Structure formats: structure tokens, C-alpha cells
Amino acid sequence: MYEVAIIGGGPAGLTAALYTARSGRKTVIIERSMPGGQASLTSLIENFPGFPEGISGPELMMKFYEQASQFGAEMITEDVISADLRNEVKVIKTTGKVIEAMSVIIASGAHARELGVEGEERFLGRGVSYCATCDGAFFRDKKVAVVGGGDSAIEEAVFLTKFASEVNVIHRRDELRATKILRERAQDNSKINFIYNTVVEEIKGDKCVEKILLKNINSGELKEETMDGVFVFIGTVPNTDWLEGIDLNEGGYIQTDDFLKTNLPGVFAAGDVREKFLRQVSTAVGDGATAAMSVERYLAEK
């Protein structure tokens, strides 16, 4: 029996754990893989306060984890299969355990949105990737495509130029959505090309990615391009498919009030998994702290 169970060990979950454990609450974090979530897959984080030179995602997230651990927060590395959160005692089933808690913070984050085109699933791990930090080194002196036009896509495109000989940014609009500093950085990089008003229709190859079929959304023209890899950064999907009884919006994100309460007593949500305007490490940290303080108030009243 724990006082606080936190589902997800990204920046929101780790911050919440730091606060609740430091307050003396028996706290467990349930995380399916390594600490950090999506943030641990980011090559360089330049907009988190306190690191003027920037810091790698994995390094920053390990600092979060170490700080939460030193106050006594436990971590269980397992998948959550189901959770009954409707009663006073919350019951969470993982792949190997049944965990009971008096309160729960859902910080399960989000995962990369897929293109949904033929060849994408077939070539996953054989040229198709959703993490440049993880897989970029496999494409040394190769020609790759980056699909997307937001901050993540452009950050990772720049990162890939460390390895690839050519990086082609494919974006369905006529201009990038990334912030000005990232746009300028990419546009000044001679290894990066831009293909606008275009979508990927199919990913082709034999044993690995060899070509992609592109479609111009204005003219409808189809064109094949030789490519050794495809990196997809077109947004995220919330990890909420295991939840029951929690109010979600149309996009599947958890709905909360200003105190990050959900519709179920004793259940709170923080970070990328909830309905919010901005999804960044800094906003996840704020969510984690707010959720933790709301939990403290809830438990004190109980």
C-alpha cells in the first residue's frame, strides 16, 4: 500500500514524485522503460531554465530521477495493464504486480503519432524511426527524410546532420511551424533540404527502407525519392488507452481542473497526457508540482 502511485516516469511524474516523497509520503513511480519519457529521447534541451549551454534529454532526466530517489521515491519498471481508480483504495495492475494506493497521479505521457502509410510498420527498426537520438548514428553518410515541421522535427533534423550526408524535411504545409531560432538554424545548415506541400504516401524497400513515395498536396503529383531512412515527428498521441472511468477530450487527453483533479476523487493528471496548451519539459515540471500539492491536500483531508 502506497500513499501516492505515479503512473509514468517522465518530467511530470518525476517532479511529482520529488514533491510527494520529500513531503514524507510513501511514493511509487511506475514506468515502462527508462526514466524521462519523451524528454529522454531528445538530443538537446535548450529552453529548460538553469542550463544556458543546453543539456541532453537523458542527462537532465537522470538528474530528475536521482533527485526524486534521494527522497525515497521507489520506481517499478513495468507496464500498467489496467487500473481501477473509482474506489477509495486505487488498484493498479502491472505486468508483474498489483499495487494499491490512496491516491494516483497519471503522468503516462504520449507517444509518437504514426504516418499510417504502407511500409511504415514493416520497416520499423529497419529505416523507420521516431527517435533521432536513438537511431541517428545508424545513418552515417546516408540520405534520410524527416517528416514534420514543428519544433521536434526541426530539432531532430539538425541533430541528424551530425551523421547523415543529406536530411530532407518533408512538410505538408508551405512553411515550417517551428520557432524562429530553430527555423533559422535549419535553413542555415547546408545538409538540410526542404520539401513543402508534400506528404509521404508509401515507404518502399526490400529488407530495409530504400525509397519513399511523395505526393504534392496542391498538384497531386506523385514522385519517388531514394531514401535510406525516414524519421517521423508529426505530433503525439496520449497514452490513455488503458484508462477506464476518466473523462477524456476528443483527442484522448485527460480533462482536469486548475488543480489537476480528474473526475475521479483522489486521481490527478500531469504532463503531456492531459489537455493543455503547451507540452514542454518546463510545463510538465509545473504540472508535476501542482499535482503533488493537490495530492497532499487530498491526503491531509482524508
Side-chain angles (χ1 to χ4, degrees), residues 130-149:
Y130 305 92
C131 177
T133 310
C134 312
D135 300 325
F138 295 116
F139 294 86
R140 193 174 298 276
D141 300 323
K142 302 288 187 180
K143 180 181 177 181
V144 301
V146 169
V147 185

Side-chain angles (χ1 to χ4, degrees), residues 143-248:
K143 180 181 177 181
V144 301
V146 169
V147 185
D151 284 358
S152 294
I154 303 309
E155 283 175 353
E156 301 309 313
V158 172
F159 174 78
L160 284 167
T161 61
K162 294 180 180 181
F163 308 102
S165 59
E166 182 180 323
V167 178
N168 297 276
V169 175
I170 300 166
H171 188 39
R172 65 181 301 117
R173 296 182 173 86
D174 58 3
E175 60 180 18
L176 302 174
R177 293 182 293 108
T179 54
K180 183 180 179 182
I181 188 171
L182 291 175
R183 292 199 309 269
E184 291 175 348
R185 192 174 297 166
Q187 288 160 353
D188 289 342
N189 193 310
S190 61
K191 283 189 174 183
I192 299 178
N193 304 315
F194 298 91
I195 305 173
Y196 294 110
N197 301 309
T198 300
V199 295
V200 176
E201 288 283 289
E202 186 179 350
I203 301 170
K204 299 181 176 184
D206 183 14
K207 294 181 179 179
C208 58
V209 171
E210 296 174 359
K211 296 179 180 180
I212 57 174
L213 181 64
L214 301 177
K215 179 182 179 180
N216 184 290
I217 61 173
N218 293 331
S219 66
E221 178 187 359
L222 295 172
K223 182 181 180 182
E224 264 192 1
E225 288 280 356
T226 301
M227 212 70 65
D228 299 302
V230 181
F231 289 82
V232 182
F233 303 101
I234 56 170
T236 57
V237 179
N239 297 320
T240 54
D241 54 349
W242 53 277
L243 285 173
E244 293 183 8
I246 297 284
D247 287 347
L248 308 175

Side-chain angles (χ1 to χ4, degrees), residues 114-129:
E114 298 177 357
L115 289 169
V117 301
E118 187 175 344
E120 181 178 18
E121 185 176 349
R122 177 186 168 198
F123 293 113
L124 180 61
R126 293 185 293 161
V128 172
S129 175

Side-chain angles (χ1 to χ4, degrees), residues 18 26 47 55-56 77 86 88 147 196 203 225 247 288:
L18 165 63
K26 188 178 181 184
N47 57 0
I55 185 171
S56 76
T77 308
R86 295 166 292 186
E88 186 171 351
V147 185
Y196 294 110
I203 301 170
E225 288 280 356
D247 287 347

